[in-house]
Amino acid sequence: MTLRWHSTPLARTVLVGLVVAGTCLRLDWLATQSFHARERARVAEQVAALRSMLEQRLHQHLAPLAAGAAVVQLKPDLTPAQFQRLGQGLLKDAPAVRTLALSPNAVVRHVFPPDQAGHLHAIPTLAEAEQSARDGTLRLTGPMQLADGGMGMVARRPVYLDPDSRLQFWGFVSAVIDYQRFMALAKPLLAAPDIVFGLRHLSPGGAPRAVFHGAPATFDALSETALIATPDGFWQVGARPRGGWDQPRPYSLPLRLFMLGVLLVTGAATWLLRARGLRNNMLLRELEAGEAARVQWVADTSHELRTPITILATHLDAMQDGIIAPTPDKLAVLSDTVREMERLVSDLHVLARADAGAQALLCQQVDLAELCGEVAAAFAPRLASHPLHYRLIDELAPGCLVQADRQRLGQVLSNLIGNSLRYTDPGGALHLTLALAGPHIVIRVEDSAPGVPDAALARLFERFYRVDESRSRASGGSGLGLAICDAIVAGHGGRMQASHAPLGGLRIDILLPAHARHAHHGDCP
């Protein structure tokens, strides 16, 4: 009988050896890739934690400015004693704020605490004061070297006696934030022995500016980064492993020898165990991602509720201390703040139902051109008074319908048109386009300048995200409108995407499934 080459013991040994050697090399490569992926995920998790902590701290230490401005609007002639009591109450929850000052007509009059008067730095020049008075925005300068040798940030908020018209400019509420105290809670993260962190400024347009923590090399092309919105643009957090991304995994040689021995003894059992381990790692990452999202949700919610609660507490304390009298006008301010909190809680309830998959959508055939006309008619007075040129471009075939919840889809369109009215410069344009693109019906909402920075486009649909924190709060937005719109569209089986508009502003595309025209009632899609 003739023996084939692969039936001999030597050939079988060589064949098994080649298979085992190839398997070991493949598994070693996979282990190295998995190690690098875990390293990147670990660094990204640390960046997200640092970003969340700094955003929370920044909001906490800017809240006294909003509360102080609210009190000044009600009582612009505060006495020194009244201001000292007010400052003591406002700074008890902002330990890094070392100085709080009132500057009527850009001239410092009251400082808390009094012995810190010499530490108030970066008083605005006349040009800076006039610019801040015109645009009405909160300014944050620094971190920078202070006169006493320390590092600090200076926050300045203009105050108007008539905040709606901004015609009666009163002056500024200013604060000096001690940078070392501000960063105290973040020091354990920044001092991680195996991760290098960096912080730098970004312009509102996304251009990199000075690095104020770490080295510029931290922001190379492979670094993990995240953006923190501030009143004067963005801070960017960058991080990378101290030894670089290509560092060898620990104990690589002993692990390779052990892997070879295990493969020689167990063979196929190793593959089964590895597959089970990969599945477990995937489930663990999903659980960790869900927990991180839950923690971020709770933190963002607490941040948003802090400002109205602070304003309520400040007004009530001022009334109890006799600083202001509980007149109907002042009680109306408290009532408006409570209604703002009610709107925020209602929006949170809508998003919670969407997360739980419990959106109640009653879908039917909807004529989009007719729906857009109804929504635009409701906004007609505001479009005429803004003024804003509105135009509907219907490229759909006659009788083309979409399967949708008419009320919810109208809510999405109303939110987008309201945003254009709120942020588009007077005399601009607002275009609504209806078109068919492959398997989707597209509703395109685009407006004219001003636009949105490139760095902010990807975060527009995040909950509580605002491109301009001070302007959004002044106009009454909770930062949840686009997130709710995205949840409603997702409930219809569609999606939303943002880009720059040819008109010079923002373009939002709503992509809905193009269903066949037949009767249907019930949940979408």
Side-chain angles (χ1 to χ4, degrees):
M1 182 175 64
T2 303
L3 295 177
R4 297 182 181 276
W5 70 270
H6 53 75
S7 63
T8 62
L10 178 61
R12 288 198 299 269
T13 301
V14 172
L15 182 61
V16 171
L18 291 175
V19 171
V20 171
T23 302
C24 288
L25 292 175
R26 176 65 176 173
L27 288 179
D28 182 69
W29 181 84
L30 289 174
T32 302
Q33 296 300 313
S34 177
F35 168 73
H36 290 156
R38 288 196 303 271
E39 280 293 287
R40 184 167 288 278
R42 182 175 67 89
V43 174
E45 181 181 357
Q46 294 296 311
V47 168
L50 181 59
R51 166 194 159 195
S52 177
M53 180 180 297
L54 291 180
E55 282 185 341
Q56 179 181 6
R57 295 279 288 175
L58 190 62
H59 181 82
Q60 175 185 1
H61 288 84
L62 292 179
L65 294 180
V71 172
V72 170
Q73 288 169 358
L74 296 174
K75 189 175 179 60
D77 55 346
L78 284 173
T79 65
Q82 290 173 338
F83 177 71
Q84 295 303 314
R85 291 200 302 271
L86 176 64
Q88 185 175 10
L90 292 180
L91 300 191
K92 62 183 179 182
D93 293 327
V97 177
R98 60 191 293 183
T99 309
L100 186 67
L102 296 183
S103 305
N105 298 317
V107 178
V108 177
R109 298 296 187 193
H110 302 302
V111 178
F112 177 84
D115 58 354
Q116 295 290 316
H119 293 162
L120 189 62
H121 300 271
I123 300 302
T125 64
L126 181 59
E128 293 173 338
E130 291 177 350
Q131 177 64 29
S132 182
R134 282 195 300 270
D135 57 31
T137 56
L138 173 67
R139 297 298 178 90
L140 180 67
T141 307
M144 60 185 177
Q145 195 77 23
L146 299 178
D148 59 359
M151 293 290 293
M153 299 178 290
V154 178
R156 186 182 313 112
R157 183 188 184 100
V159 181
Y160 303 88
L161 299 184
D162 184 4
D164 294 329
S165 64
R166 294 182 182 171
L167 295 178
Q168 299 181 9
F169 174 67
W170 179 87
F172 296 97
V173 179
S174 306
V176 176
I177 302 173
D178 188 289
Y179 181 68
Q180 299 301 328
R181 296 180 190 173
F182 177 80
M183 299 293 291
L185 292 181
K187 283 184 178 179
L189 289 175
L190 295 172
D194 53 348
I195 300 178
V196 179
F197 285 97
L199 289 168
R200 69 178 177 183
H201 289 285
L202 289 184
S203 69
R209 291 179 176 173
V211 176
F212 59 88
H213 180 88
T218 308
F219 298 93
D220 58 21
L222 298 178
S223 297
E224 288 290 332
T225 61
L227 292 179
I228 302 172
T230 71
D232 278 351
F234 298 92
W235 289 355
Q236 186 179 42
V237 181
R240 59 181 176 83
R242 192 171 296 277
W245 294 107
D246 296 330
Q247 58 182 322
R249 56 192 176 96
Y251 312 110
S252 57
L253 181 58
L255 287 176
R256 290 172 185 174
L257 294 176
F258 177 74
M259 187 186 304
L260 179 60
V262 171
L263 284 174
L264 289 174
V265 175
T266 61
T270 302
W271 284 102
L272 294 176
L273 292 174
R274 178 173 175 78
R276 180 175 298 178
L278 290 175
R279 287 194 297 270
N280 290 339
N281 288 338
M282 291 176 62
L283 292 175
L284 180 60
R285 284 195 293 270
E286 291 177 358
L287 291 174
E288 291 175 346
E291 177 64 14
R294 185 192 67 82
V295 171
Q296 185 65 37
W297 168 255
V298 173
D300 289 341
T301 302
S302 66
H303 297 170
E304 291 302 318
L305 288 173
R306 186 185 300 273
T307 295
I309 290 175
T310 300
I311 292 176
L312 284 174
T314 302
H315 280 71
L316 292 175
D317 289 344
M319 290 179 183
Q320 289 178 345
D321 293 341
I323 298 176
I324 59 176
T327 62
D329 291 341
K330 296 177 177 58
L331 293 176
V333 174
L334 301 182
S335 179
D336 291 341
T337 304
V338 171
R339 280 193 290 272
E340 178 186 345
M341 295 175 65
E342 289 177 346
R343 288 195 299 269
L344 177 59
V345 172
S346 177
D347 290 345
L348 292 173
H349 179 67
V350 172
L351 288 175
R353 289 180 61 86
D355 288 342
Q359 287 193 88
L361 299 177
L362 181 60
C363 286
Q364 56 187 337
Q365 299 292 342
V366 176
D367 187 325
L368 289 178
E370 178 183 339
L371 178 60
C372 291
E374 293 176 0
V375 174
F379 280 93
R382 293 180 58 188
L383 288 168
S385 63
H386 189 64
L388 201 63
H389 177 68
Y390 169 77
R391 180 185 178 191
L392 174 62
I393 305 171
D394 186 3
E395 299 178 358
L396 296 176
C400 183
L401 305 177
V402 67
Q403 194 75 24
D405 185 314
R406 186 181 186 88
Q407 180 181 359
R408 291 296 188 183
L409 197 56
Q411 178 184 350
V412 172
L413 292 173
S414 296
N415 186 283
L416 295 179
I417 294 177
N419 282 349
S420 293
L421 281 166
R422 188 178 296 117
Y423 301 117
T424 305
D425 292 338
L430 170 62
H431 292 176
L432 259 69
T433 303
L434 307 178
L436 185 65
H440 296 101
I441 291 179
V442 179
I443 307 173
R444 177 166 298 155
V445 182
E446 52 187 344
D447 53 34
S448 55
V452 173
D454 293 338
L457 284 175
R459 299 188 61 193
L460 281 180
F461 302 106
E462 292 183 14
R463 297 168 184 181
F464 299 112
Y465 177 72
R466 299 180 180 89
V467 177
D468 187 331
E469 187 77 10
S470 60
R471 289 185 184 271
S472 297
R473 290 191 182 278
S475 56
S478 66
L480 293 176
L482 289 180
I484 291 176
C485 291
D486 189 51
I488 292 174
V489 172
H492 285 77
R495 68 180 188 275
M496 297 181 68
Q497 56 191 26
S499 60
H500 296 297
L503 297 175
L506 176 66
R507 182 172 79 183
I508 300 291
D509 287 339
I510 304 172
L511 285 76
L512 297 174
H515 293 285
R517 288 178 288 180
H518 58 82
H520 175 76
H521 294 277
D523 292 341
C524 297

